[in-house]
Amino acid sequence: MQDYSFLFNTSSSNSTGSSYSWLSEYANIKNGTYKKVLKAYYAKKEGSTDQTTDSNKSTATKDTQDKTATALDKVQAAGKELVSSADALTTMGSKSLFRQKEITTTNEDGTQTTELGYDKDAIYSAVKKFADNYNALLDASSAKDNQSTSVLRQTQNLISQTQKYAKTLGNAGITIGTDNKLKVDEKSFKEADMSTVKALFSGKASFASSVSDKASAIAISANSEANKQSLYNSTGNYSNYSTGNLMSDFF
């Protein structure tokens, strides 16, 4: 507390200058100058706290953006892998997996028989890879750090499309789980009618071709969303130099 005792000190040692000094301090107290100084001081302290809070919020926002960008990169990569494995199955012509060729088998008596047929081992391997990549894309798209509604919508379109083929897939030894993932039973697959398998996976009108289209759409959406993430900095302004200053001026 301010000591005002000097106001009542009548000692002859007080000079005219000191009288003016205490009168000045008294005037500052009376007109509220000291109060204003104190308010300004505490306002500055509170402002410093607000700046720290804003900084923490910016850091948290940046972390979220980084995680989202990483998740979208994984979706894009998984989409491309599925497109690649689907295209390997749908390829026509001399490189088609469904092009019949001479298959030699060994009989129980040790003799060998050669006949024209499908290379079921090669086809199964390709379909298994297709299913694994399909499941990997579902995992990437449903990751908690992926907040893109467009990617989730495109993924749901893929799932809905696959459900339409559930019965035919089942006839080929491929089931759809409750988690929407594909499971290929090797024994059932190789014992299935290869014409059914071929209809599912060969050519542009096949199930595999439709999956390739959906996976490509998912990858494109993920790439688009990732580009949007990179256009903004943690304060919400555009980070692109040419458009950044212009857009920031409006907000």
Side-chain angles (χ1 to χ4, degrees):
M1 180 178 293
Q2 180 70 43
D3 182 6
Y4 301 117
S5 61
F6 65 88
L7 294 174
F8 307 99
N9 188 343
T10 57
S11 171
S12 59
S13 61
N14 288 342
S15 65
T16 302
S18 63
S19 295
Y20 280 120
S21 177
W22 65 256
L23 285 173
S24 176
E25 287 201 36
Y26 178 72
N28 287 333
I29 294 170
K30 187 175 181 180
N31 64 25
T33 297
Y34 287 152
K35 183 178 180 180
K36 292 178 182 179
V37 171
L38 288 172
K39 287 181 68 176
Y41 170 77
Y42 284 111
K44 183 176 180 181
K45 294 288 287 183
E46 290 175 0
S48 178
T49 301
D50 292 341
Q51 289 175 358
T52 301
T53 301
D54 290 341
S55 177
N56 291 337
K57 288 181 179 178
S58 295
T59 300
T61 301
K62 184 62 168 59
D63 289 343
T64 300
Q65 289 175 335
D66 288 344
K67 289 180 180 179
T68 300
T70 299
L72 290 170
D73 286 343
K74 290 181 179 179
V75 172
Q76 186 178 357
K80 289 180 178 179
E81 287 294 322
L82 180 53
V83 169
S84 178
S85 58
D87 290 350
L89 285 162
T90 59
T91 297
M92 303 292 287
S94 61
K95 294 183 178 180
S96 173
L97 288 170
F98 294 93
R99 184 183 178 88
Q100 293 191 50
K101 56 185 179 181
E102 290 186 346
I103 305 295
T104 300
T105 58
T106 301
N107 303 315
E108 292 182 358
D109 60 2
T111 61
Q112 292 184 329
T113 302
T114 300
E115 58 185 0
L116 197 64
Y118 295 103
D119 186 345
K120 292 184 179 181
D121 288 336
I123 294 173
Y124 167 76
S125 179
V127 171
K128 180 65 166 57
K129 183 177 182 180
F130 168 89
D132 289 343
N133 287 338
Y134 181 98
N135 297 339
L137 178 57
L138 294 191
D139 284 338
S141 298
S142 61
K144 66 178 182 178
D145 290 325
N146 172 32
Q147 303 297 322
S148 170
T149 55
S150 63
V151 169
L152 293 174
R153 183 172 61 252
Q154 294 285 0
T155 303
Q156 185 56 53
N157 290 340
L158 171 62
I159 292 172
S160 298
Q161 180 73 8
T162 301
Q163 289 291 346
K164 295 177 182 179
Y165 288 86
K167 184 176 180 179
T168 309
L169 287 167
N171 292 336
I174 304 170
T175 54
I176 304 173
T178 55
D179 55 0
N180 296 311
K181 292 183 178 181
L182 299 178
K183 182 178 180 180
V184 187
D185 181 80
E186 183 175 1
K187 184 175 183 296
S188 298
F189 180 85
K190 290 182 177 180
E191 291 177 350
D193 184 348
M194 278 295 111
S195 62
T196 298
V197 176
K198 183 177 181 179
L200 278 168
F201 296 103
S202 178
K204 295 299 181 182
S206 65
F207 162 69
S209 181
S210 68
V211 168
S212 178
D213 291 340
K214 298 295 184 185
S216 179
I218 292 171
I220 290 172
S221 292
N223 180 61
S224 177
E225 290 297 314
N227 286 337
K228 288 179 183 179
Q229 289 287 324
S230 66
L231 285 176
Y232 294 92
N233 58 31
S234 60
T235 63
N237 293 324
Y238 282 93
S239 60
N240 179 275
Y241 179 81
S242 60
T243 59
N245 293 335
L246 176 62
M247 294 302 296
S248 295
D249 286 341
F250 286 97
F251 300 98

